[in-house]
Amino acid sequence: MTSQPRDAPQFYLTSPSACPYLPNREERKVFTHIVGRRGKELNEILTQGGFRRSQTIAYRPACDACRACVSVRVLVDEFEPSGNMRRVLKANADLIGNAMPNRPTSEQYSLFRRYLDARHTDGGMADMTVLDYSMMIEDSHVDTRVIEYRRRGIDSGITGRGAGDLVAVCLTDEMSDGLSMVYSFYDPDQQDRSLGTFMILEHIRRAKAMGLPYLYLGYWVEGSKKMGYKARFTPQERLEAPGWVRVD
């Protein structure tokens, strides 16, 4: 009689459901649990293999007749912002990001709810309660940080922290070869700042400063307005059948 070691992952396949990215398509996902003493190691292996993390679940698309979801990671050492991206950085020069332990706060949840109510009222996260949010932030067996973005204060150069109201948040995994942006949200009333783009640019800078070669952005989906923006951050690598392929 044989048995699986307690830390060995077991994979499962979901039932078909409506695709959130492309019309008239169905999606299926393969998933496993990231728990136990090998959680960090397993998360890195799976992320490098095209999986994404949500709490203690790692998943990737496993659709029968579609391969539109493509994992993307930015080559941070070679990345140069475009003119538009430089304007975004300039517009947000008054913000500073601070890496915090993955602990939820009422201020974060208030911003999270405003973001969902303004941008994703019909999404799968629309009904998330404060308890759901707390689990999304805290339920992790890997190295996870919450990056909070606030306006610079008069002593930010000394403390390294921002001051004032919370403007944007990103839940970020730290791995041996890069940072992975798990989920981000921001003040929906400050659209002129392009905060989503800014957080990616700031994470590229952050990864480079940490000596990490990659920033993992999750899935790029050709033909999807929701995910098309990820193609702008080049050079990048996309995970295809032969492996990671460079795109300039």
Side-chain angles (χ1 to χ4, degrees):
M1 179 179 178
T2 61
S3 61
Q4 287 276 65
R6 181 173 297 180
D7 290 333
Q10 298 185 39
F11 293 87
Y12 308 89
L13 187 64
T14 66
S15 299
S17 60
C19 175
Y21 305 122
L22 299 174
N24 305 315
R25 306 257 186 119
E26 288 188 334
E27 71 164 358
R28 300 187 78 179
K29 295 176 181 176
V30 60
F31 69 94
T32 189
H33 297 276
I34 309 175
V35 295
R37 55 190 173 88
R38 291 188 62 231
K40 178 180 176 180
E41 175 190 357
L42 180 60
N43 183 56
E44 294 206 10
I45 293 171
L46 292 175
T47 300
Q48 292 161 2
F51 280 71
R52 291 289 284 167
R53 185 183 72 82
S54 177
Q55 296 175 223
T56 59
I57 299 292
Y59 67 90
R60 68 172 296 172
C63 307
D64 294 332
C66 181
R67 297 293 182 269
C69 294
V70 179
S71 293
V72 168
R73 63 187 187 188
V74 182
L75 298 168
V76 302
D77 287 333
E78 300 181 57
F79 175 80
E80 292 291 340
S82 65
N84 178 263
M85 291 174 183
R86 286 193 291 271
R87 286 190 287 274
V88 170
L89 288 170
K90 184 177 180 180
N92 291 283
D94 60 331
L95 299 184
I96 186 169
N98 187 43
M100 313 283 289
N102 58 317
R103 298 290 181 266
T105 67
S106 58
E107 188 181 22
Q108 291 171 12
Y109 180 69
S110 177
L111 181 63
F112 175 70
R113 276 266 41 111
R114 288 175 54 213
Y115 173 77
L116 290 182
D117 293 343
R119 300 287 300 256
H120 299 288
T121 55
D122 58 348
M125 304 176 76
D127 297 327
M128 285 182 66
T129 66
V130 64
L131 179 59
D132 296 327
Y133 175 78
S134 296
M135 291 180 65
M136 180 179 77
I137 298 298
E138 287 186 310
D139 200 1
S140 170
H141 289 242
V142 305
D143 289 340
T144 305
R145 299 290 181 270
V146 173
I147 315 297
E148 291 189 345
Y149 295 90
R150 302 175 188 271
R151 287 185 176 85
R152 293 179 182 272
I154 57 175
D155 60 350
S156 290
I158 299 172
T159 65
R161 296 173 180 266
D165 293 337
L166 190 63
V167 175
V169 174
C170 187
L171 183 64
T172 303
D173 287 349
E174 297 182 359
M175 304 184 300
S176 62
D177 70 340
L179 299 178
S180 176
M181 298 178 71
V182 177
Y183 189 77
S184 61
F185 54 94
Y186 51 84
D187 185 346
D189 296 330
Q190 300 195 41
Q191 295 186 38
D192 292 345
R193 285 183 175 271
S194 299
L195 288 165
T197 296
F198 168 70
M199 280 190 281
I200 294 176
L201 294 172
E202 199 276 337
H203 272 69
I204 292 172
R205 181 206 62 76
R206 188 176 292 268
K208 188 172 183 178
M210 296 171 68
L212 301 173
Y214 303 118
L215 175 65
Y216 289 85
L217 294 182
Y219 300 118
W220 167 69
V221 184
E222 188 173 13
S224 169
K225 292 183 179 179
K226 290 181 181 179
M227 304 303 239
Y229 68 92
K230 298 179 182 181
R232 296 190 290 119
F233 297 89
T234 56
Q236 63 181 228
E237 291 181 345
R238 299 176 183 174
L239 186 57
E240 301 180 2
W244 290 98
V245 177
R246 181 185 173 107
V247 176
D248 289 290

